[in-house]
Amino acid sequence: MAEYDLTQRIAPLLDRHLVFPLLEFLQERQLHADEQILKSKIELLNKTNMVDYAMDIHKSLYHTEDVPQDMVERRAEVVARLKSLEEAAAPLVSFLQNASAVQELRADKQYNLQMLNERYQIGPDQIEALYQYAKFQFECGNYSGAADYLYQYRALCTNSERSLSALWGKLAAEILMQNWDIALEELNRLKEKIDSKNFASPLSQMQSRIWLMHWSLFIFFNNDNGRSQIIDLFNQDKYLNAIQTSAPHLLRYLATAFIVNKRRRPQFKDFLKVIQQEQHSYKDPITEFLACVYVNYDFDGAQKKMRECEEVILNDPFLGKRVEEGNFSTVPLRDEFLENARLFIFETYCRIHQRIDMGVLAEKLNLNYEEAERWIVNLIRSSKLDAKLDSETGTVIMEPNHPNVHEQLIDHTKGLSGRTYKLVSQLMEHTQAQTAR
């Protein structure tokens, strides 16, 4: 299903180092020719300092032990530059490795700069050298060293732009090391900076939000609570507007999160409207599945899309993560998705039918008769379904569902509270803008 591969849309919005895990996944899934993937890797590596890795791929691609002379020369340049930067940053690195000396640092950056200058003869040049050294380490593929130095640099940096750049670098390094909890902390820190910073233009701020959402995919689909967190982030007005304006393909991941999320969210109805609005700019089997079930009530179409969704998930680098269990390999998100997708079809179908033939229902759920019967019995037993199963006639009889007045009142109150908060926020932003003028 290479037609639904989003790599070409996503890659330009990632740091080039973050593209490598995507290419590794595509190579493993054999979605594209091996030669094409290897050439893409070399093209990426040519813009980094990972020369040894580039040499290995060149040998693999062209089946030779020889490498081009320009690669050999490039390697010598990288080694010389690394040594030069290491020497320039040495005084500050030496200080940071001294635990008793580091204890002299305070939260006040100006005090730290003055103290470093007076006691250790470390000034702006050495601090700048630390940043360049950390950046170079990152480009060489030493993500652990880069993360440490960027963290320390931010504690001393007084330039807000450089500090923001270091934060992006730190986030990328933590993602590449798969330190998901730390990466989530850096992501939240970066979001706070982006939302509060005065950008030169609203377009620049929107672009930063788009980059942030793309980078966040690595974290959210590798974090225990990621399916809720991606809804919290992507569904915020400013982020959802950015998706609709410049990155509608991210709707795939928000739609998946809504489907696999065990807590059905009030925002789901509003999200279905977004799916409808954006059908002209982006659609794939996952978004079309929701449209079939909740907009068109096309259950045959939903069944067909559900089969296509399975292929999309298996071939998506963020959704198709495999887990090895003994001799077996599973894709947990695929299993959760199909289970909840069947539940979506079943709930909607039951809402418009009181008595349902088991054979028809099995067909709609893409199960055989026995599997469908067992699935429905489990739903009734777990109190997820208010119904009776008549085995003699082979039908499911739905119990009348009278809405709870108190629950309706709570839902409406929640919605009113959210709208009020949004209105107050907009008024405050407008007032602040007027005051700034």
Side-chain angles (χ1 to χ4, degrees), residues 55-66:
M55 287 178 172
D56 290 341
I57 292 175
H58 182 276
K59 291 174 185 176
S60 176
L61 178 60
Y62 297 106
H63 309 290
T64 178
E65 286 301 310
D66 299 324

Side-chain angles (χ1 to χ4, degrees), residues 66-277:
D66 299 324
V67 293
Q69 185 59 31
D70 63 332
M71 281 191 176
V72 176
E73 291 171 2
R74 170 78 175 137
R75 188 181 189 284
E77 287 174 14
V78 168
V79 171
R81 176 67 176 154
L82 181 62
K83 188 175 181 182
S84 170
L85 287 170
E86 191 173 6
E87 288 172 0
L92 184 49
V93 170
S94 178
F95 167 83
L96 293 168
Q97 290 173 344
N98 184 336
S100 59
V102 169
Q103 287 180 353
E104 295 181 50
L105 294 174
R106 297 181 185 176
D108 185 347
K109 288 186 180 182
Q110 292 301 332
Y111 167 83
N112 292 338
L113 294 176
Q114 187 177 348
M115 183 271 291
L116 285 170
N117 196 22
E118 291 175 356
R119 296 189 198 173
Y120 298 93
Q121 290 73 55
I122 294 172
D125 290 346
Q126 285 76 28
I127 294 172
E128 173 62 18
L130 181 67
Y131 173 79
Q132 295 298 338
Y133 183 50
K135 192 169 182 287
F136 203 83
Q137 288 278 8
F138 181 88
E139 291 299 336
C140 290
N142 179 10
Y143 305 123
S144 177
D148 289 340
Y149 292 135
L150 287 171
Y151 172 78
Q152 290 160 341
Y153 170 78
R154 288 189 66 245
L156 300 170
C157 176
T158 54
N159 183 316
S160 59
E161 289 298 326
R162 268 294 167 80
S163 181
L164 187 63
S165 175
L167 189 51
W168 279 106
K170 175 81 159 55
L171 173 60
E174 298 298 352
I175 290 172
L176 289 160
M177 291 188 292
Q178 300 184 14
N179 293 334
W180 303 123
D181 290 340
I182 299 173
L184 180 60
E185 290 173 13
E186 299 297 347
L187 180 78
N188 290 331
R189 200 170 284 125
L190 190 52
K191 177 187 180 295
E192 192 179 323
K193 293 280 185 188
I194 290 170
D195 289 345
S196 61
K197 184 177 181 291
N198 290 323
F199 282 81
S201 71
L203 188 62
S204 300
Q205 189 172 35
M206 184 182 76
Q207 190 62 37
S208 293
R209 288 188 173 121
I210 290 169
W211 276 68
L212 187 77
M213 285 188 283
H214 281 84
W215 292 34
S216 75
L217 295 174
F218 290 95
I219 301 166
F220 289 145
F221 289 104
N222 283 289
N223 188 285
D224 292 339
N225 199 31
R227 289 84 176 277
S228 295
Q229 291 161 342
I230 194 172
I231 293 174
D232 292 338
L233 177 63
F234 285 26
N235 217 47
Q236 290 180 31
D237 284 349
K238 289 173 183 177
Y239 286 84
L240 192 56
N241 288 341
I243 290 173
Q244 290 181 267
T245 304
S246 300
H249 54 272
L250 289 177
L251 292 173
R252 169 187 293 183
Y253 302 103
L254 186 51
T256 302
F258 269 118
I259 292 169
V260 300
N261 201 298
K262 287 185 169 59
R263 290 189 297 127
R264 200 64 54 80
R265 304 246 180 162
Q267 306 103 305
F268 185 56
K269 287 182 182 177
D270 292 332
F271 177 65
L272 291 173
K273 293 175 187 173
V274 174
I275 292 286
Q276 280 181 274
Q277 291 166 4

Side-chain angles (χ1 to χ4, degrees), residues 404-427:
N404 185 306
V405 178
H406 297 292
E407 286 181 3
Q408 284 184 312
L409 182 62
I410 290 168
D411 286 342
H412 286 305
T413 307
K414 281 181 182 175
L416 180 63
S417 172
R419 288 195 294 273
T420 305
Y421 176 77
K422 200 179 295 182
L423 182 61
V424 170
S425 299
Q426 289 170 347
L427 283 170

